[in-house]
Each structure stands twice: as structure tokens, then as C-alpha cells.
Amino acid sequence: MARKAKVEGEARFTPKKAKNAIAVAKVLGPAMIPVVAPYAVRAAGVAREVYDRYQARKLGVSVEKLGEYTGRGAALHARIAGLADGCRDLRKSAKASTTDTEFAKDALGTLEQLSATIRAAERMPAARRKSAHRAVAGELERLEGQLLHRLGI
């Protein structure tokens, strides 16, 4: 039998080749799944761990605390938590003056209000939520600057 000459432009993937590929997959699929599945699960776990580390680094928190900061205001919540820790440290500092402790007390009250604002903004329409987040970010910038000044940095 003579082979047919390949015609230029002939399709590489024909219906016959597709049927053959499906037949091979039906035979090899059940045998390969138990072998490949553990590697796929392990790869998915590693990918999730890498992504969690990336998110935690982006927010400036540890991976263990990543679950506490979710939603669209997660970055602002993380900033508030860090600023609150800084205010508590300032209040406990031996070098803190009475104005420093008063600032820390007032700042902690403001931070509680800002945190409530971010939680409320989660349910707002996008334009209002973004506006609220910008306002909170501006207030956080101001408080961070004052805290760093009081810490002598």
C-alpha cells in the first residue's frame, strides 16, 4: 500500500487522532491518578504556603496572624494593629512623658474608631468604601508620623 502524500495545510489533529488520544487516556488515566494525585496535592499545599507568606509579608504581619486580617480593609487593619502596638509600647516606655502617655491614650481611642470605620466600610458601595479607606489611611499617616516623632525616629 502506498502512503498518501501529505497535502500542505492538512490538519495535524484529526478526528482519528482525537479518538486514539481519548482511548489512551481511558486506559492510562485510572492507573496514573493514584500515582500523580499525592504530588499534585503536595504542590497545591506548597503553592498555598508561598502565597500565604507573600500576603503576610505584604501586610506586614506574621503568617499565623494572617487570618485576622481579611477583606478589602485588611491592609488598613494590619496598619492599625501595628500602630496600636507602637502606642502601647510608648505608654509602657520608661522615657515616656505625660504628654506621650496622653498621646498614646488618645491615639488608641482614635484607632478603635478607625477600626470600626473600616469594618463598616466593608458593606458600603465601592465608591464610598474607597473614600472611607482613603480617609482612614490619611489619619493613619498622621498618627504614624506623630508616633515616630515621639519615639525619636
Side-chain angles (χ1 to χ4, degrees), residues 97-110:
S97 65
T98 55
T99 58
D100 291 342
T101 55
E102 281 297 314
F103 165 77
K105 180 182 172 191
D106 294 341
L108 286 171
T110 303

Side-chain angles (χ1 to χ4, degrees), residues 12-136:
R12 289 185 179 177
F13 197 70
T14 62
K16 183 177 180 181
K17 288 182 182 179
K19 286 179 184 177
N20 286 341
I22 290 172
V24 169
K26 283 182 180 179
V27 172
L28 292 180
M32 294 300 290
I33 288 176
V35 173
V36 174
Y39 295 111
V41 169
R42 194 171 303 135
V46 168
R48 181 62 193 202
E49 184 178 335
V50 168
Y51 179 73
D52 285 346
R53 283 189 198 150
Y54 166 75
Q55 286 291 90
R57 188 174 52 249
K58 192 169 93 173
L59 292 176
V61 297
S62 67
V63 176
E64 293 80 30
K65 290 187 175 185
L66 187 61
E68 296 174 22
Y69 308 108
T70 60
R72 294 193 166 114
L76 292 173
H77 276 298
R79 281 179 68 187
I80 288 173
L83 193 55
D85 289 342
C87 288
R88 288 186 200 100
D89 291 344
L90 177 66
R91 199 164 44 176
K92 292 177 186 175
S93 174
K95 299 177 187 176
S97 65
T98 55
T99 58
D100 291 342
T101 55
E102 281 297 314
F103 165 77
K105 180 182 172 191
D106 294 341
L108 286 171
T110 303
L111 292 173
E112 286 178 18
Q113 291 175 348
L114 293 176
S115 182
T117 301
I118 295 170
R119 281 193 304 274
E122 289 292 323
R123 292 169 208 78
M124 291 181 183
R128 290 185 67 198
R129 181 183 63 247
K130 289 177 183 179
S131 176
H133 283 186
R134 277 193 299 273
V136 168

